[in-house]
Amino acid sequence: MSACVRIRHDHTAHSSPPSRASGIKRPHSPPPPRRGGRFRIAGADLSASITVFLIAVPMSLGLAVAMDAPLEAGLISAAIGGIVAGLLGGTPLQVSGPSAGLTVVTAELIQIYGWRTTCAITIGAGLLQILLGSLRAARGALAVSPAIVHGTLAGIGVAIALAQLHIVLGSSPRSSAAANALALPQQLGRLSPAAPLIGALTIAVLVVWPRLPGRIGRAVRRLPAALASVAIATAVAAVAAPGIARVDLPSWRSHALPELPQGPVLALATAVFTVLLVASLESLLAAVAVDKLTADRAAGRTADSASPVPVAPVAPPVRRSDLDRELRGQGIANVLSGLLGGLPVSGGAVRSSANVRAGATSRAATVLHGVWVLLAAGLLVTALEWIPLAALAALVMVVGFQMVNYAHIRNVHRHREFLVYGATITGVVLFGVLEGVAIGIAVAVAVALHRLARTRITVTDQGDQHLVVVRGQLTFLAVPRLSRALGQLPRGGDAVVELDGFFMDHAAYETIQDWSDAQTAQGGRVVFTGRSGGRIAEPASAAHSCCRPWTPWRNHHCHDQPGRPGDARRTTAAFAPGESFTADQGPTGSVGAEADAPAADATAGPTGRLDTPGDGAAVPRRTGAHRLASGLSSFQRNTAPLVRDELARLAREGQRPSQLFITCADSRLVTSMITASGPGDLFTVRNVGNLVPPPGAEAGDDSVGAAIEYAVDVLKVESITVCGHSGCGAMQALMSTKPDTPRTSLWRWLRHGLPSLERMTSRHHAWARISGRLPADEVEQLCLTNVVQQLDHLRAHESVARRLAEGALQLHGMYFHVGEAQAYLLAEGASAGSGVDEVFDRVGSCDPNHSRPYDITGLSDPTGLTELGDHATVSAPATAAGPADPPGSGELERTSA
């Protein structure tokens, strides 16, 4: 079992238990974080900042050219985005700068209002970003359909590419994407060769540079492709085309600052909102992408060899983004950029991915990149003015084409949202960004309503009954057709209703419920099934209404109704947690404390079964048999087809479990569910109290030792886990044991837990604790201590000690809190027997990237995932005082070599 849990190795602060006399238990908490530390710069951050700087300078100048803005404005926004957003943002590795997504919008604003008013609009958008970030609205922005977001960015990319193509061809772009497309034929008729050739050279180097082969290729690929293409194009233009149009950086003394906006208020508000929308979405999407790239890098998955950025070795993971803080940081950067005469700022996917892949580990890389851009703006003006405009235009044109991402197209097509994606692109290209987003939202709503209302209802006469098939979602929109179809059926007749959908609203449910009640009242029989034919529900009566078609997995018994023997009014038939008391090891028949409390109208009979009062004892036994048969039937119908191939492979090859899992027989512990395991994964030993008798215990307790010896010496398991749980009845019974307790089977078994009780009361051992809180009571304290003590018993077994000395076996302690559905793992040192603190750390919900050879996620009935078939189980000895096991169940299975 791999789990994402923090293990603390520093035990000096809590090496001794608190005083027993005080009655106070000290909580176990991690040391406080260091404060007031200096801003540290790692070597990886320094090299990554230089890599991103070499990409950002030509990109910033190119975007300024594309927006028809002052060229120094691109450098200003790159420096502010790197320094300000890098320091204040919530995504440490995200690199911000001039927004590629706002290229078309900013160009249009400059044409309509002029440069100084555009700066004021940028300030207004930044202030709104700060407000939205303070209101914690960042997550809400991600609620927009990905098809609309990616369609918007793709439409902007198409508009960018069309505009920059004119500059590459030696002309100037038109006012809109449509005008640029219409003017292309005329532009191709009067070409000047210099600019197109330089642009073509730039694109060729961008494409070829990351794919240069051999040792020389690996060496030169350390230089970013963007910088290499612009540098080569500049050198060639200096020799072959000295008269080509180049970058012209004006004097900083003529730099324009913002002015108060002038124009219609509604138009200015629309402009501010457009800048806010595009810049925020671009930044938040880039932040999510950076999180994924960082997680991939931490997991050891490097980028492909064709990447234009050198791939760094695996780095430690960085914390996930704080999107609200990121939005506030972007807002502050936009306010400062507008005040200083810079372009709108947003997080950039190209720069950020380059930063991650270059090995950056903290926000120092982002900030340093901004510092280098600031220095270049003051010291490298002469060198920058040699760059041809055609080279920058070609660079930005490639960026525009990259915004039309084939992977995004494939994803939206897979999810049947290509219509929304295409409508958004068309709207952005033809009408503008805000209009395109509005069109995309309208189409998305229309598609959703169409899917919601698209319900097909067919009625088939099968002679003795009618089959009603409902495909699609049942909402109030489908109620008229549903009522008409159901009304055509003969009253009092038998019917099977097959529901093939995942949603049913109240109106549709009431329609089906009223019709079903009327049919049943007139002598008819109605059965509800899913697409696979399995019964999912039947109508509930007024007196007993716990069953619903959408009822989740729960421990209820809708079939226990008087007058309905054998008619299973139950949503699902398989066993749920708490329904099956499993005792695979040790004495089983005498421990009722571990099982869930029986129903109010039942008592425990002498055989261990639940018998009803009076002379109706046969009925519960028939009900239990029916529930067992129903569970087996559910397994054969739902689960068996999905795991049959895997079980057949295990039958051929023999079992090779990697873990021995020792846990309690409590019915609430479904080990396959807790550990996300399947057939062949766990060799499971279950007994009352998850006890491991030490070697040399009396005869009759050898079943656990035999299982340990078989798992370690024959199956060669790699780890052994002892799992305790909250509310353990065995631990409660152990604490309440008195000298005059009858010497029953239960007492003889629980005496193996006496060392745990002695350990808890001893002053020579640290108390077992849960990280973040104290044990709730003495019972929980004993449950935790018992896990640690049983690990000590394990280490005393000869086979375990030998494999531990060889380094081929690991021991783990685990505690499962039933009420919280939360697992805790014992600290590594304590599990190995070398730690001082016995601390159980909370297991988080992060994905350990654990791959499985089979997939059972498609089950329509979650209760089909019982423990049947999930574990290799060693059953109890035949002498246990409980229901007899099937013949041969006490024998060890023979495994292949």
Side-chain angles (χ1 to χ4, degrees), residues 679-772:
D681 286 347
L682 300 182
F683 190 75
T684 306
V685 175
R686 301 188 67 147
N687 62 52
V688 175
N690 48 273
L691 300 178
V692 180
E698 295 182 13
D701 294 332
D702 289 337
S703 60
V704 178
I708 294 172
E709 181 179 343
Y710 185 76
V712 173
D713 292 339
V714 179
L715 298 180
K716 305 295 184 182
V717 295
E718 300 170 358
S719 67
I720 303 178
T721 300
V722 177
C723 176
H725 67 96
S726 62
C728 182
M731 298 300 103
Q732 296 176 16
L734 190 62
M735 295 192 67
S736 61
T737 300
K738 299 178 180 179
D740 58 346
T741 301
R743 300 304 191 255
T744 61
S745 298
L746 175 60
W747 179 88
R748 286 191 294 272
W749 174 252
L750 288 182
R751 60 199 173 134
H752 297 302
L754 291 176
S756 301
L757 189 60
E758 295 172 358
R759 185 189 190 102
M760 188 183 76
T761 57
S762 171
R763 295 179 177 271
H764 302 292
H765 292 91
W767 285 344
R769 299 184 296 279
I770 294 182
S771 179

Side-chain angles (χ1 to χ4, degrees), residues 255-569:
H255 183 66
L257 297 177
E259 66 178 3
L260 291 176
Q262 296 180 1
V265 176
L266 182 59
L268 289 171
T270 302
V272 170
F273 180 76
T274 304
V275 174
L276 165 72
L277 176 66
V278 177
S280 300
L281 285 177
E282 189 175 13
S283 298
L284 296 178
L285 287 176
V288 174
V290 168
D291 279 345
K292 186 178 186 305
L293 286 173
T294 307
D296 290 347
R297 187 182 67 178
R301 296 191 295 269
T302 58
D304 57 33
S305 59
S307 172
V309 181
V311 178
V314 177
V318 179
R319 65 182 183 184
R320 292 183 61 85
S321 299
D322 182 344
L323 296 184
D324 294 304
R325 178 180 173 182
E326 179 63 29
L327 193 57
R328 292 194 298 270
Q330 294 291 334
I332 296 173
N334 271 313
V335 170
L336 291 177
S337 181
L339 287 173
L340 297 177
L343 298 174
V345 172
S346 71
V350 175
R351 296 180 293 262
S352 300
S353 62
N355 192 39
V356 174
R357 287 169 175 161
T361 60
S362 70
R363 62 180 73 243
T366 304
V367 176
L368 283 176
H369 131 269
V371 174
W372 307 144
V373 172
L374 194 61
L375 293 176
L379 302 178
L380 300 179
V381 174
T382 303
L384 296 177
E385 289 182 338
W386 279 91
I387 301 176
L389 291 179
L392 294 179
L395 176 63
V396 177
M397 186 173 68
V398 171
V399 172
F401 281 128
Q402 290 175 344
M403 293 173 71
V404 186
N405 193 304
Y406 177 71
H408 294 160
I409 297 176
R410 187 173 53 205
N411 284 334
V412 298
H413 185 269
R414 184 187 301 124
H415 291 92
R416 298 185 300 167
E417 290 187 323
F418 187 78
L419 180 62
V420 179
Y421 182 84
T424 306
I425 291 180
T426 304
V428 170
V429 172
L430 295 181
F431 305 107
V433 174
L434 200 59
E435 294 83 354
V437 171
I439 292 173
I441 293 175
V443 174
V445 171
V447 169
L449 289 177
H450 173 71
R451 290 174 179 172
L452 198 60
R454 187 184 179 187
T455 306
R456 290 176 293 176
I457 304 172
T458 59
V459 179
T460 304
D461 188 356
Q462 297 182 335
D464 57 341
Q465 67 180 10
H466 286 77
L467 174 63
V468 182
V469 179
V470 181
R471 305 208 182 279
Q473 316 319 316
L474 278 174
T475 67
F476 66 94
L477 299 173
V479 166
R481 281 178 292 145
L482 180 64
S483 299
R484 184 165 56 251
L486 296 177
Q488 295 174 358
L489 302 180
R491 297 184 177 180
D494 295 343
V496 176
V497 181
E498 180 180 318
L499 302 176
D500 181 15
F502 59 84
F503 178 76
M504 178 191 299
D505 71 359
H506 184 72
Y509 172 75
E510 289 294 341
T511 300
I512 293 180
Q513 181 72 53
D514 294 343
W515 169 79
S516 180
D517 288 343
Q519 289 289 98
T520 305
Q522 296 178 11
R525 184 171 181 270
V526 179
V527 176
F528 293 89
T529 69
R531 188 172 187 176
S532 62
R535 177 178 297 179
I536 60 173
E538 293 201 17
S541 66
H544 192 81
S545 59
C546 69
C547 287
R548 293 292 185 268
W550 54 82
T551 301
W553 180 5
R554 62 176 60 179
N555 189 14
H556 66 275
H557 309 277
C558 297
H559 61 283
D560 296 335
Q561 300 182 50
R564 289 182 175 177
D567 186 12
R569 301 276 175 179

Side-chain angles (χ1 to χ4, degrees), residues 133-195:
S134 301
L135 295 176
R136 301 186 177 277
R139 286 285 175 187
L142 299 181
V144 180
S145 169
I148 297 174
V149 175
H150 297 313
T152 301
L153 296 178
I156 292 172
V158 171
I160 291 174
L162 288 173
Q164 297 312 295
L165 182 57
H166 281 274
I167 299 179
V168 172
L169 296 177
S171 181
S172 299
R174 306 304 190 265
S175 59
S176 66
N180 284 322
L182 295 175
L184 274 179
Q186 181 182 1
Q187 180 63 33
L188 291 174
R190 48 186 179 87
L191 279 179
S192 174

